[in-house]
Structures are given as C-alpha cells and as structure tokens.
Amino acid sequence: MPMDCLRRIAVRDLPCTVYDPGEIDHLRVLRAAGLIQAFIPLPDRLNRGQLSQKAAQVLAITEKGREALQGRLEA
C-alpha cells in the first residue's frame, strides 16, 4: 500500500534511493497525491516488450505527506 511505503520512507534519511519496482509504483501514487517529491525515471523498453525500471530517488516528504502520516489527512 502506498501509505505503508510512505511510513517506511519517513524513517529513512532523505534523499533515498528505491530499487524495487513495486515500491516505485507506490512512489508514483504518493507523488501524484502530492505527498512526496521524487524523481522517478520512465522505464526502459527491452526486447519482446519487457520493461526495465531504473531506481527512483525520493527527495522529500511534503507538508501534505507529513499531515497524512499524522492522521490529519486522508490519503
């Protein structure tokens, strides 16, 4: 879940790098919701239509993201 991902990010030193493609999908949701600032490269297309996802960089948790962590905002 994206909120679980946000909680994990909150205890890490930022900026941090995320390699797991599933986690990177959660980062896309969090970024779209305005809860984090992150650089997420577009996936590269490999042979036979497969995709390769490069690592993402989480730069910051926004004020809205901190409010969501404190339960003052539904995300």
Side-chain angles (χ1 to χ4, degrees):
M1 283 185 107
M3 284 306 295
D4 292 334
C5 180
L6 182 61
R7 288 183 193 96
R8 286 190 295 275
I9 292 167
V11 297
R12 295 179 70 178
D13 290 332
L14 297 179
C16 69
T17 304
V18 177
Y19 298 95
D20 180 79
E23 290 288 302
I24 293 171
D25 286 341
H26 292 315
L27 295 180
R28 285 187 179 93
V29 173
L30 294 169
R31 183 178 67 180
L35 303 180
I36 63 168
Q37 293 178 347
F39 173 71
I40 305 171
L42 293 174
D44 291 329
R45 189 165 297 279
L46 303 175
N47 295 338
R48 300 182 190 128
Q50 295 176 331
L51 297 176
S52 173
Q53 178 64 59
K54 294 179 183 172
Q57 194 78 18
V58 180
L59 306 173
I61 298 175
T62 66
E63 184 62 34
K64 184 177 178 182
R66 299 220 176 267
E67 289 174 2
L69 285 168
Q70 295 174 2
R72 292 187 281 160
L73 178 71
E74 287 192 27

